[in-house]
Amino acid sequence: MNKVDRDRSHKAGPGRAVVVIAAVLAAMLAGPAAAEDAKTIAATVCVACHAGDGNSVIPMFPKIAGLQEEYIVKQLKDFMSGRRKSDIMAPVVAALKAEDVAPLATYFSSQKMKAGEAEDKKAVALGKLIFHDGNEETGVPACVGCHQPEGVGHVIYPRIGGQHATYVAQQLKNFAAGERNNDVSRYMRVTAKRLSEEEINAVAQYIAGLGAK
Amino acid sequence: MNKFLTTMMVVLSLPLAAVAQTPAWNELKGELKAALESKGDPVRGEKAFDSCVGCHRKDASGRTSGAYPRLSGQHATVLIKQIADIRAGRRSNPKMEPYLDDHALTAFEIADLAIYVQGLPISSENGKGPGTGVAAGRQIYDRDCASCHGGKGEGNAEKFYPMVAAQHYNYLLRELKFIRDGDRRNANPDMVKAIKPYSTADLEALADYMAQLAPPKK
């Protein structure tokens, strides 16, 4: 701020100064405070299953670090509305405020998902085939089409590269059975239904090993 | 590239404007009409095509196995008709149909992705036939097919006749059989009539010939 500007703001009188101070305070309370709140929630609530940085170490709980921001927002809202059903997440989101959703998504999205490792090495070859080519016989599209090389995800399609195999396989089974039905345009329900159990386990193993080591 | 796409849009809008008559096998109504009349935007089309690449590949070359056809370079009118027909139940395609419902694509997005895909270069190799039927296939093609699908397999955008050159052999053969046997229900009746007398060996020769036709120059 140069001298002229300072003079002008003085001339604007105390009324304007109050407005400016109030605006600054409001911004401090909303912006950084919301981000701080999100970190606090992450460190006190989410941490139990997903770890503080979102890199869950429990195979049945997903890694949420580095997921697309839009995707996290959608999932949290879907858990809140009951569109995505989970006995574990339902009571957790019930304690969240609507305004916590966006900052939480921003926080976890800005973390980096750590790559995992395929435990079933024998399944990886089939998994790789499904991921890159799908199954022409049964009309399974290649995962890479939407989820992108290395499974990094793309806008509404979540990052899957590096995700726990146990979680991925469970979600595919849930989609196939229609127990999870919050996918866009039924893409995942249709696709998962066309996968055999062997293919589901294989592709989940391959996906677990993708991403930056 | 943008200039190229803009040119493609202008080029496409000409035949579309000329589409006037509506034969019974291809009645221009509903979303087929809406999509044909809308000015497709290839930039939006690239985005709409996102959900197709799991099967048709990023460059829209399909699969050389013939499981999924090449789409790149195909006439936008043909693409629009086939998508609209599958959505309306006029052509059966159980593998693709669930990915095409109206939650996934609007009529306008069909126009967008059609103009985008039409403008894609035909770069990679297609799946070829055994090569042994090419000579016999050429005879049949020149006698019965060239008058509609063009001497070089380039098709006819205005009349919704697909480009058949550079298409995968197994896809061509499968669809030829479907049309002959009445399983591709949205085919032009003239086409069904022309293909009816052919043996499967004839169709194999025909597909062999068409698959080795070079991509038409644009």
Side-chain angles (χ1 to χ4, degrees):
Chain A
M1 209 188 249
N2 61 33
K3 189 171 183 298
V4 178
D5 286 335
R6 261 202 311 271
D7 288 343
R8 274 188 191 148
S9 64
H10 278 297
K11 275 176 198 159
R16 173 136 180 209
V18 167
V19 171
V20 169
I21 290 166
V24 168
L25 277 174
M28 280 172 64
L29 285 173
E36 278 310 309
D37 280 354
K39 269 190 199 167
T40 307
I41 296 168
T44 54
V45 182
C46 315
V47 62
C49 299
H50 297 287
D53 70 343
N55 275 296
S56 142
V57 290
I58 308 165
M60 68 179 282
F61 298 132
K63 296 176 189 175
I64 54 175
L67 292 178
Q68 276 68 9
E69 201 167 336
E70 302 91 315
Y71 178 77
I72 301 178
V73 167
K74 174 170 161 49
Q75 300 310 311
L76 283 174
K77 285 184 173 169
D78 284 357
F79 281 128
M80 285 171 154
S81 70
R83 174 135 196 244
R84 181 170 173 187
K85 288 168 193 63
S86 163
D87 293 340
I88 299 166
M89 282 300 290
V92 178
V93 295
L96 284 183
K97 295 193 291 280
E99 56 265 34
D100 294 331
V101 169
L104 274 173
T106 308
Y107 169 72
F108 281 113
S109 173
S110 66
Q111 307 300 311
K112 210 171 158 63
M113 189 182 288
K114 290 178 188 153
E117 208 162 320
E119 282 164 15
D120 185 351
K121 306 280 184 217
K122 277 184 289 188
V124 168
L126 174 62
K128 187 176 181 182
L129 200 69
I130 297 293
F131 188 88
H132 292 282
D133 290 330
N135 184 334
E136 294 178 354
E137 292 295 312
T138 52
V140 174
C143 314
V144 69
C146 293
H147 293 279
Q148 302 294 300
E150 291 295 311
V152 295
H154 176 49
V155 201
I156 58 168
Y157 308 114
R159 168 188 290 277
I160 52 175
Q163 187 57 270
H164 293 305
T166 306
Y167 174 76
V168 172
Q170 187 60 53
Q171 294 308 306
L172 287 172
K173 286 171 192 170
N174 290 353
F175 276 127
E179 285 165 31
R180 181 170 172 187
N181 58 9
N182 71 329
D183 51 333
V184 173
S185 306
R186 291 165 49 228
Y187 282 176
M188 282 313 302
R189 271 172 285 172
V190 173
T191 303
K193 215 174 209 165
R194 293 176 177 184
L195 288 166
S196 69
E197 192 163 345
E198 187 192 9
E199 287 173 330
I200 285 180
N201 290 324
V203 80
Q205 287 294 327
Y206 178 71
I207 285 168
L210 291 176
K213 301 285 179 224
Chain B
M1 188 63 182
N2 275 339
K3 198 174 171 189
F4 167 73
L5 290 172
T6 313
T7 313
M8 291 309 298
M9 281 169 65
V10 173
V11 168
L12 178 82
S13 66
L14 298 176
L16 285 191
V19 172
Q21 78 278 43
T22 63
W25 69 281
N26 191 28
E27 204 179 336
L28 302 183
K29 60 174 189 182
E31 75 170 7
L32 173 57
K33 187 167 183 282
L36 286 169
E37 285 173 353
S38 103
K39 190 176 173 176
D41 171 12
V43 178
R44 287 198 308 256
E46 182 173 12
K47 205 163 160 274
F49 190 66
D50 269 351
S51 53
C52 315
V53 305
C55 294
H56 292 281
R57 304 287 198 205
K58 196 140 185 91
D59 63 356
S61 62
R63 306 287 178 100
T64 52
S65 69
Y68 310 123
R70 173 198 295 290
L71 305 174
S72 52
Q74 185 58 272
H75 305 297
T77 50
V78 172
L79 296 167
I80 289 171
K81 172 174 164 55
Q82 296 307 321
I83 294 174
D85 280 0
I86 292 168
R87 274 156 67 108
R90 292 186 289 265
R91 174 178 169 187
S92 307
N93 190 334
K95 276 186 191 169
M96 177 152 99
E97 189 274 326
Y99 296 104
L100 262 190
D101 70 22
D102 53 10
H103 293 289
L105 283 176
T106 66
F108 303 110
E109 283 167 332
I110 296 175
D112 292 339
L113 78 80
I115 187 81
Y116 168 71
V117 170
Q118 173 183 260
L120 289 175
I122 305 172
S123 43
S124 59
E125 280 291 301
N126 62 321
K128 301 286 197 297
T132 47
V134 171
R138 176 186 286 128
Q139 279 200 330
I140 299 171
Y141 186 89
D142 287 346
R143 187 181 68 219
D144 280 348
C145 315
S147 56
C148 289
H149 288 278
K152 295 179 171 131
E154 68 272 25
N156 184 327
E158 256 180 83
K159 294 190 167 167
F160 299 88
Y161 302 150
M163 172 182 84
V164 292
Q167 186 55 273
H168 307 300
Y169 169 79
N170 280 318
Y171 176 77
L172 289 167
L173 182 56
R174 188 178 80 211
E175 297 304 312
L176 286 170
K177 287 181 188 164
F178 279 171
I179 296 170
R180 181 190 63 184
D181 302 339
D183 294 328
R184 182 157 160 163
R185 294 175 287 109
N186 69 336
N188 185 332
D190 292 341
M191 169 86 195
V192 181
K193 214 167 116 190
I195 205 173
K196 209 87 203 160
Y198 290 146
S199 68
T200 297
D202 290 336
L203 298 185
E204 283 166 358
L206 200 45
D208 205 2
Y209 174 68
M210 292 193 288
Q212 55 81 55
L213 288 170
K217 294 214 167 47
K218 298 230 174 183

